[in-house]
Every structure is written in structure tokens, then in C-alpha cells.
Amino acid sequence: MNDEILTAFRHDAHKFTGESHNDARQEFAGVPVNQTVPQGADDDAAALSRPQQKPEQTVQTHDNHYRLSLLTGETAYNHGEFSRATTESEVSDLLRIEDAETAHERWLKSDVAAAVNESVYHPYTSLKFHTLLVAALLDNYRTDHEFGDLRLIVDNAGRVVPFRTVFDGDRFALRINVNTYGNPSARLGSHPWRSWSSTWNRLTAHPLDADSDKYDMTLDANLRRIQSWSTALQYIEDFADWRPD
């Protein structure tokens, strides 16, 4: 069963190299990649982050697979950090992991995956968080959870639920699941769509101090405007890295 999860973590390997879906290689670093994810989890995760009609370039000055930061407006590409050799080595290490739980933990912390967008047409999206969303949806679906029953759940930082945690920061973690265990949560909705802001607004309690902390106020206000799930999750991570101590 965990082979399905590994398929989810490897299904968009072609985006690291800028290959098209139709021309994508079937093997990378000695492992099968770019295979179809079961139960429609990839399509549903994609619908959470970007429009599903015929894609059109949304940022005319940016047409490659490196992510644009919504926080800074700059590309995540760095000549020193993302040389071809370095990128291939890090991507190979990420994709070759054979234990699904270890792969999940590595994706949660991956910088190289965060540097890539999930679509060149939507450069603010994040391949890292798209992939984590795919794995979370797939793991829920294979235990017969319907999308309409799923919730975004706030957990304590460091509480990583295998395959279902989609963000783990220094202050809180976020999980997609049915069981809340009494934690703050909100339903994702009846069907997959770009519903991040709606879901965030409906959380029963928020993990940010938006009443008195000026940085939390800014983060919360912006999260209430972002529709794309992978963009929003990446924004939380980028904001935490940028925020002064």
C-alpha cells in the first residue's frame, strides 16, 4: 500500500527538470517516476491550487519551473544553490527514498522542492506543497474518506501524522484528515477548488496571534486573501523564514 504513497511523492519528478508531462522520463535516479497517482488524488490536489481550464501564462515575465515567491516577488532560483549538479543530486536523494514515512518527512523539510512551481502557468504555486497535498488526499481516499468529509486541522508543531500532515513549522502543523481529536479545524468543502482563504477563515480557532502581534496580523490578513492551497502553504513557510526573531 505504501508503494502508492511513493508514487505520489514521485509523480511530478518531471517538474524538477522542466520536462513536459507528455515527454517525461519514466525513471529517475533508478526509481520509477511520473506515474499516475491512484484515486484521482493528483487531479483533486491540482484543483485546490490552480484553475482547471486551459492554462494561460499568468506572469508574462516568468516562464520557467522555478517558483516565484509571493512574499518577495523574486524567483526561488539561485545560481549557487541550484546548480544543475546540486539540484540533480538533491532531487535524486529525495526521490530514491524507499520508506514512505521517511519520504513524507523529507518532503516536509525539502528546500529543493519548495524552489519549484507546480505549473509554469501559475508560478506562485509550490511543487512541494502540491505533492504533500496529493499524498494527504490519497491516504485519506484509500481509507474510504470522502473529500466532503475532510478537514484542515491545526496540530502542535512537530506532530507529524504520516502522509496527512501537509505543513510542519516551528509554531504549528497543519493536517488534512477526518479526525480532529478536538483540535481547531474547518471543512475543505464539498469538492476540490481553490478554497484556501475560505477554509482558513472558517477555522474554529487560529494558530496566530492576530490581535496583538504585527507580524501575525500581516500573515493572517494575507492568508485570508490567498485562494490557492499550495501557494498559501508555501507563503506560511516563506513568511516564517523571513520573519525577524
Side-chain angles (χ1 to χ4, degrees), residues 71 171 208 213-216 219 238-245:
L71 179 67
R171 303 171 65 196
L208 302 175
D213 185 289
K214 65 178 182 179
Y215 293 107
D216 278 4
L219 175 57
D238 288 352
F239 196 96
D241 291 340
W242 166 84
R243 177 175 176 156
D245 294 331

Side-chain angles (χ1 to χ4, degrees), residues 231-244:
T231 301
L233 291 167
Q234 187 65 66
Y235 185 80
I236 297 172
E237 182 172 83
D238 288 352
F239 196 96
D241 291 340
W242 166 84
R243 177 175 176 156

Side-chain angles (χ1 to χ4, degrees), residues 4-240:
E4 293 180 343
I5 294 292
L6 289 175
T7 295
F9 286 128
R10 297 167 176 171
H11 83 282
D12 266 346
H14 64 97
K15 293 181 180 177
F16 283 110
T17 55
E19 297 172 323
S20 70
H21 180 74
N22 292 335
D23 296 328
R25 69 191 78 178
Q26 296 183 340
E27 187 175 287
F28 189 98
V31 298
V33 294
N34 301 319
Q35 297 176 316
T36 300
V37 180
Q39 302 197 47
D42 183 24
D43 290 341
D44 288 353
L48 287 173
S49 297
R50 59 186 196 265
Q52 295 305 287
Q53 63 264 32
K54 184 178 179 180
E56 295 180 359
Q57 191 170 336
T58 56
V59 181
Q60 296 302 317
T61 57
H62 190 88
D63 61 356
N64 63 59
H65 60 287
Y66 288 106
R67 182 179 59 84
L68 282 180
S69 170
L70 191 63
L71 179 67
T72 66
E74 301 295 327
T75 179
Y77 177 72
N78 178 292
H79 287 280
E81 187 176 356
F82 296 112
S83 67
R84 181 172 180 177
T86 299
T87 300
E88 290 222 0
S89 174
E90 291 189 19
V91 173
S92 296
D93 289 344
L94 190 63
L95 298 179
R96 277 195 305 225
I97 300 170
E98 293 292 344
D99 178 75
E101 289 193 25
T102 301
H104 177 226
E105 292 169 358
R106 287 283 299 278
W107 273 88
L108 284 168
K109 302 300 181 185
S110 177
D111 290 330
V112 68
V116 179
N117 55 54
E118 59 172 300
S119 167
V120 295
Y121 299 105
H122 301 282
Y124 295 105
T125 59
S126 169
L127 177 61
K128 171 178 176 173
F129 289 104
H130 167 69
T131 302
L132 289 163
L133 287 165
V134 172
L137 292 180
L138 174 60
D139 194 51
N140 275 285
Y141 292 167
R142 65 183 188 166
T143 52
D144 297 324
H145 292 163
E146 301 286 341
F147 184 89
D149 297 327
L150 299 180
R151 305 182 75 88
L152 175 67
I153 302 163
V154 180
D155 287 325
N156 292 331
R159 185 178 188 273
V160 174
V161 178
F163 318 136
R164 300 192 182 183
T165 296
V166 294
F167 172 81
D168 182 33
D170 293 335
R171 303 171 65 196
F172 59 90
L174 297 171
R175 165 173 52 103
I176 292 179
N177 207 341
V178 172
N179 301 316
T180 68
Y181 305 113
N183 289 10
S185 70
R187 287 184 63 242
L188 271 58
S190 60
H191 64 280
W193 62 292
R194 288 178 296 161
S195 59
W196 168 268
S197 59
S198 173
T199 304
W200 180 259
N201 287 339
R202 288 184 286 102
L203 280 173
T204 52
H206 282 265
L208 302 175
D209 179 10
D211 291 329
S212 59
D213 185 289
K214 65 178 182 179
Y215 293 107
D216 278 4
M217 291 179 191
T218 301
L219 175 57
D220 181 61
N222 288 333
L223 289 175
R224 292 176 185 271
R225 298 184 180 97
I226 300 171
Q227 294 178 309
S228 165
W229 278 70
S230 75
T231 301
L233 291 167
Q234 187 65 66
Y235 185 80
I236 297 172
E237 182 172 83
D238 288 352
F239 196 96

